[in-house]
Amino acid sequence: MVRDLNFKYLNEGNGAPVTARFGPDGITIVDPMRAAEGPEKVFEKLYDRAV
């Protein structure tokens, strides 16, 4: 998912700002390009617990 989003943004000329956060609360995709859509879109949870 991170790779695909970064590839899309690179092709649009926007760099590769997407990353993932791995923690005890699970995995969260961090996509600052979606800031206008609100924090729930910037910080998208993939899992609710550690994998």
Side-chain angles (χ1 to χ4, degrees):
M1 180 171 215
V2 170
R3 177 200 60 160
D4 295 338
L5 288 169
N6 279 329
F7 184 74
K8 173 187 166 206
Y9 294 141
L10 277 171
N11 283 330
E12 294 172 354
N14 294 319
V18 181
T19 191
R21 180 182 161 285
F22 298 81
D25 60 337
I27 300 173
T28 304
I29 301 297
V30 182
D31 184 353
M33 298 295 289
R34 297 180 75 183
E37 299 175 53
E40 65 281 348
K41 296 296 184 179
V42 174
F43 301 99
E44 181 180 344
K45 282 252 198 218
L46 292 182
Y47 298 102
D48 291 331
R49 63 181 196 283
V51 176

